[in-house]
Amino acid sequence: MSTSLLSDANRRLERALKYVKISEDASERLKFPKASLKVSIPVRMDNGSLRVFEGYRVRYDDTRGPTKGGIRFHPNVNMDEVQSLAFWMTFKCAALNLPLGGGKGGITLNPKELSKFELERLSRGYIDAIADFIGPDVDIPAPDVYTNPMIMGWMMDQYSIIRRQLCPAVITGKPLSMGGSQGRDAATGTGAFFVLAAMMQKFDKSPHETTVAVQGFGNAGSVIARLLFEAGYKIVAVSDSQGGVYCPDGLDIPSVQQFKNAARSVKAVYCEGSVCSIVENHQVLTNEELLTLDVDILIPAALENQITAANAADVQARYIFEVANGPISADADEILEAKGIYVFPDILVNAGGVTVSYFEWVQNRSGLYWTEEEVNQRLSRMMVTEADKIWRISQELAIPLRTAAYVHALDRLGDALNAKGTREYYVG
């Protein structure tokens, strides 16, 4: 992970600032996180040894409401990454008009190396360390890379133990039995599908003649792949962390999902199977090769910085929908723009997760719970409405969709920051 990831993110902010009228105070505030916390988490391992893990939590901006953002367990987690993800979440919440700010958290480890017992002790230890930094009205964590409803349930339970009261609204993405929301587990992929389907109508291209490659067949990537398959799109390639498969005639996504589910170890929290193990009638390829396939739509749904200045010129897709956070670097943006590729940005496309997390938070606080159909109806309405607004900004100002999304978010953030007082107000 580059140590300049946050600087890279700020380049997008600087570009968007040229097209909005907000105070210097507001633009300066948005360049820095409000609060960043680094903690150590001692965990007694199953063999009796003690390991200390590094954990992070960042509240980037809470002008529009309490901060919101996931917790990831990954070997590459560091402060720069977490701050950058919290930055993106700030703009994502504003772009979707959610009354929330941006936050993020993580622990540096390979979670596949830990047992369920060790993961539980680690998850509860993390909450012990950051309990004073989060809360239903302060900062609300959620699942992210390699975290899941079970882990969120442990964390919510630990926070409730510390506070000596049941606090379901402190964590979202929980199991349904602990106050989770219908539709939350699939929300990122579902929301991305709503955006993709709505935006592709603008190009007058039918699903049956549209080819798609999905990098990252995890929670979000597998969901959007299934929904696109059911809608008639031709999914020609998918991949996970171990590699991918390609079939020019189209993959049967339910079969790929069934194979991966069957190959995983039922004894572990994380799967050990890989889609690249499917070799019959398919061509095995790497994640890097998948990114350069000659397809209509490319969906990066894995990790950050997958498309950079080093490989952007090789990308052949006409449309890119960012389901992952930050899969394209700022340098690569300029190359893809020059090639005429439409990039639908992460702060719009993958906002389904935080939107349904917001729904879960609302349901926890009100005590009224919605059906999955109600959740998806609300999600579709919000995602498509904001996608249309961003599309119009892009067309009216003749700017890339990413810049348009930041302009859209900046208008709302600027209004909120200016309401607290600016230089112009005090010295007039």
Side-chain angles (χ1 to χ4, degrees), residues 297-318:
I297 298 174
L298 173 63
I299 300 177
L303 295 171
E304 301 87 11
N305 281 339
Q306 299 299 297
I307 300 175
T308 65
N311 63 353
D314 298 324
V315 174
Q316 300 184 68
R318 177 67 171 161

Side-chain angles (χ1 to χ4, degrees), residues 3-12 80 84:
T3 56
S4 62
L5 190 58
L6 185 57
S7 298
D8 198 61
N10 266 304
R11 288 175 60 184
R12 273 77 181 259
D80 177 62
S84 302

Side-chain angles (χ1 to χ4, degrees), residues 72 92 104 143-149 183-194 196 212-229 235 237-240 253 257 260-261 264 275 298-303 321-325 327 346 348-354 379 383:
R72 60 175 50 186
K92 189 181 303 181
K104 209 72 178 183
D144 197 81
V145 176
Y146 289 134
T147 53
N148 56 28
R184 174 59 185 89
D185 198 36
T188 302
T190 303
F193 170 76
F194 290 145
L196 187 153
V212 183
V214 181
Q215 185 210 36
F217 201 69
N219 182 44
S222 63
V223 169
I224 191 172
R226 173 179 56 80
L227 292 172
L228 289 170
F229 176 83
I235 317 299
V238 298
S239 69
D240 58 18
I253 295 301
Q257 184 68 69
K260 181 159 183 175
N261 290 344
R264 73 175 58 193
V275 297
L298 173 63
I299 300 177
L303 295 171
F321 288 82
E322 294 183 323
V323 174
N325 286 309
D346 49 2
L348 166 66
V349 177
N350 71 20
V354 68
L379 175 62
M383 297 291 291

Side-chain angles (χ1 to χ4, degrees), residues 218-298:
N219 182 44
S222 63
V223 169
I224 191 172
R226 173 179 56 80
L227 292 172
L228 289 170
F229 176 83
E230 292 171 354
Y233 290 83
K234 184 186 288 187
I235 317 299
V236 298
V238 298
S239 69
D240 58 18
S241 60
Q242 299 179 49
V245 290
Y246 169 69
C247 180
D249 295 328
L251 295 162
D252 183 78
I253 295 301
S255 296
V256 175
Q257 184 68 69
Q258 183 179 15
F259 178 90
K260 181 159 183 175
N261 290 344
R264 73 175 58 193
S265 169
V266 296
K267 295 182 293 184
V269 174
Y270 303 101
C271 89
E272 296 174 353
S274 170
V275 297
C276 64
S277 299
I278 308 172
V279 295
E280 186 176 356
N281 300 324
H282 303 95
Q283 175 185 338
V284 175
L285 77 171
T286 65
N287 275 283
E288 292 75 20
E289 290 169 336
L290 181 144
L291 295 172
T292 61
L293 289 175
D294 185 7
V295 292
D296 296 308
I297 298 174
L298 173 63

Side-chain angles (χ1 to χ4, degrees), residues 3 8 67 73 123 130 132 146 149 176 182 191 198 202 251 265 270 279 297 309 320 324 409 428:
T3 56
D8 198 61
T67 52
F73 290 178
S123 301
I130 69 167
D132 293 332
Y146 289 134
L176 290 175
Q182 295 282 353
K202 300 182 183 301
L251 295 162
S265 169
Y270 303 101
V279 295
I297 298 174
I320 299 177

Side-chain angles (χ1 to χ4, degrees), residues 76-97:
N76 291 336
V77 167
N78 58 41
M79 183 59 80
D80 177 62
E81 179 190 53
V82 175
Q83 287 183 338
S84 302
L85 292 165
F87 170 93
W88 285 319
M89 186 62 76
T90 299
F91 288 87
K92 189 181 303 181
C93 290
L96 268 291
N97 204 21

Side-chain angles (χ1 to χ4, degrees), residues 95-96 194-196 198-199 202 344 348-349 381-393 401 408:
L96 268 291
F194 290 145
V195 171
L196 187 153
M199 292 297 99
K202 300 182 183 301
F344 292 85
L348 166 66
V349 177
R381 183 167 59 249
M382 292 183 69
M383 297 291 291
V384 174
T385 296
E386 301 303 330
D388 281 336
K389 290 178 181 178
I390 290 168
W391 173 263
R392 287 199 300 270
I393 293 170
L401 286 155
H408 187 45

Side-chain angles (χ1 to χ4, degrees), residues 29-30 34 59-65 67 90 101-102 413 417:
R29 287 272 299 276
L30 289 170
K34 178 175 182 176
R59 302 198 306 259
Y60 199 93
D61 182 84
D62 60 1
T63 308
R64 289 171 46 85
T67 52
T90 299
L413 285 164
L417 286 161

